[in-house]
Amino acid sequence: MYDQPRANPAQPAMTFEQMLERVRYEGAYPTRERAGEAVHHVLAALGRHITGDERVDLAQCLPVEAALTLTAQIPDNGQLTGWGFVKDLAARIGVSPAVARWDTGAVLAVVARLAGPDLLARILHRLPDGYALLFGQAELRRPEPAA
């Protein structure tokens, strides 16, 4: 029962160094060290908001170093919107919201590729509004029921 693989057609795994290079490219960071800081901060923040099977499945898609950063965090009780996530990250690491948004987009674009479309859809379904844009996806709203 527990040994059954989960359906998660993610792209081939990359090493942590490859992930850092991809984030460095996405974020136009001058050094791999700066990309590594962004990866650490963003994945730690994300680890405070993703729970359940999605958290486990995402960790399996990431390089070991990145997965450890994600899973080392204790999930928060309160759920933040996408913009709230960015503001919280900015406050925690002492940067402007614009820098936090840039870092978030650079890291989560790579995470989205590693996760694959099915897992990403599950993650976005469980998170509040505003996260799709952070992952580089269109933010589609569900129609509201008529009153």
Side-chain angles (χ1 to χ4, degrees):
M1 177 169 149
Y2 292 103
D3 295 329
Q4 296 175 351
R6 296 182 185 173
N8 184 19
Q11 293 190 7
M14 61 176 67
T15 66
F16 188 63
E17 290 75 26
Q18 291 170 325
M19 182 181 188
L20 290 180
E21 279 303 315
R22 191 69 205 162
V23 170
R24 182 179 175 192
Y25 176 80
E26 290 287 335
Y29 297 116
T31 64
R32 183 181 285 188
E33 290 75 24
R34 176 64 184 96
E37 291 172 8
V39 167
H40 173 74
H41 293 307
V42 173
L43 288 180
L46 188 62
R48 290 189 288 275
H49 298 286
I50 294 182
T51 60
D53 289 341
E54 289 75 20
R55 180 183 176 103
V56 172
D57 292 345
L58 180 58
Q60 290 175 344
C61 295
L62 298 174
V64 173
E65 297 89 337
L68 290 173
T69 299
L70 177 82
T71 58
Q73 306 306 310
I74 298 172
D76 288 342
N77 290 336
Q79 288 286 333
L80 299 173
T81 64
W83 178 236
F85 176 88
V86 170
K87 290 191 308 186
D88 181 62
L89 178 61
R92 285 178 187 265
I93 63 176
V95 298
S96 71
V99 170
R101 173 60 181 97
W102 185 270
D103 289 352
T104 300
V107 173
L108 294 185
V110 176
V111 169
R113 284 189 207 101
L114 288 169
D118 294 337
L119 176 55
L120 183 58
R122 288 177 30 220
I123 290 169
L124 292 175
H125 181 73
R126 298 218 27 197
L127 291 171
D129 289 342
Y131 280 85
L133 292 174
L134 299 178
F135 281 94
Q137 305 294 308
E139 181 80 39
L140 302 176
R141 299 193 85 25
R142 294 183 196 120
E144 297 292 325

